């Protein structure tokens, strides 16, 4: 029967240690990406967020190994990763939403929308992802889709004054053929 010691890699780390390190590195990417973004280095921020997302994708690949039959001890060790898995999913949604904002600043509306779609797969009620996807739709001149995202965001968080204001402005969207969103 496998023990925790048997689950160590050649460097003496358990699988749990590897999960934690991967999440820590992705958190560091989030912080570095935020720093680059605040310095208006949007291309750099987009790449750093992307690296963090790629790190978390490694955890998904690790999941494939866990789908094979395992011993009872391996299953118990796996149970300790449930919180880590949830944290990784939450972090991935945040990284994707932040990357979407960087893409917006780079004028890449279509890519922004795609990134927000992926963020919403990880965190379906992410208001920021909805709001940023709406902005991506506006950049692509798909105002009807933007309005739907803003309305959805407002329904999920009716106290958000920014979203409610944007939805109000949506009603004034077209005047003389001009868009005022």
């Amino acid at each position: 029967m496998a023990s925790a010691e048997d689950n160590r890699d050649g460097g003496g780390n358990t699988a749990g240690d590897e999960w934690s390190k991967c999440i820590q590195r992705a958190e560091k990417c989030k912080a570095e990406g935020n720093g680059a973004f605040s310095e208006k280095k949007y291309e750099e921020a987009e790449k750093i967020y992307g690296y963090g997302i790629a790190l978390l994708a490694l955890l998904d690949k690790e999941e494939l190994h866990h789908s094979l039959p395992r011993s009872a001890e391996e299953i118990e060790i796996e149970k300790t990763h449930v919180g880590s898995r949830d944290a990784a999913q939450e972090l991935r949604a945040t990284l994707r939403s932040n990357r979407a904002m960087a893409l917006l600043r780079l004028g890449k509306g279509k890519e922004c929308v795609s990134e927000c779609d992926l963020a919403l797969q990880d965190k379906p009620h992410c208001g920021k992802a909805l709001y940023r996807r709406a902005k991506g739709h506006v950049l692509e001149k798909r105002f009807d889709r933007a309005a739907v995202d803003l309305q959805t965001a407002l329904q999920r968080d009716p106290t958000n004054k920014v979203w409610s204001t944007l939805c109000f402005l949506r009603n004034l969207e077209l005047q003389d053929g001009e868009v005022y969103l």
Side-chain angles (χ1 to χ4, degrees):
M1 191 175 296
S3 69
E5 291 295 316
D6 294 333
N7 287 321
R8 292 182 181 275
D9 64 15
N13 294 319
T14 64
D17 292 340
E18 293 303 314
W19 269 74
S20 295
K21 285 180 184 177
C22 195
I23 291 172
Q24 287 172 355
R25 286 186 288 218
E27 285 280 2
K28 186 175 180 186
C29 288
K30 177 184 161 193
E32 290 176 5
N34 290 348
F37 188 90
S38 68
E39 294 174 9
K40 299 183 182 190
K41 297 177 182 177
Y42 304 123
E43 285 183 17
E44 183 180 336
E46 187 266 333
K47 288 177 184 171
I48 294 169
Y49 293 136
Y51 182 69
I53 293 164
L55 283 170
L56 295 173
L58 295 174
L59 296 179
D60 290 337
K61 289 181 182 178
E62 183 67 23
E63 286 294 307
L64 296 175
H65 299 294
H66 294 297
S67 64
L68 302 172
R70 314 182 294 286
S71 70
E73 284 187 52
E74 288 173 319
I75 291 170
E76 285 303 311
I77 291 169
E78 169 86 9
K79 287 179 184 177
T80 64
H81 295 307
V82 171
S84 296
R85 195 172 311 128
D86 292 344
Q89 188 173 7
E90 178 85 16
L91 178 57
R92 185 173 49 231
T94 300
L95 285 165
R96 288 194 179 286
S97 181
N98 289 0
R99 186 178 190 198
M101 190 64 196
L103 289 164
L104 265 176
R105 295 292 169 95
L106 293 169
K108 298 179 179 182
K110 185 176 180 180
E111 292 90 339
C112 169
V113 169
S114 296
E115 203 64 41
C116 288
D117 288 342
L118 293 169
L120 289 164
Q121 286 177 9
D122 282 330
K123 189 177 174 187
H125 299 289
C126 182
K128 283 185 179 180
L130 281 167
Y131 175 65
R132 290 171 181 169
R133 185 169 72 179
K135 290 177 87 172
H137 285 311
V138 168
L139 211 57
E140 295 296 307
K141 300 188 184 324
R142 289 181 272 166
F143 305 110
D144 54 335
R145 292 181 185 182
V148 169
D149 280 344
L150 290 173
Q151 198 64 37
T152 303
L154 183 61
Q155 287 170 350
R156 291 182 182 166
D157 184 6
T159 63
N160 190 309
K161 291 179 183 178
V162 173
W163 295 335
S164 61
T165 302
L166 287 171
C167 287
F168 170 76
L169 291 175
R170 162 58 171 104
N171 294 328
L172 305 174
E173 180 182 285
L174 293 174
Q175 280 184 338
D176 301 323
E178 294 294 318
V179 176
Y180 293 97
L181 182 62

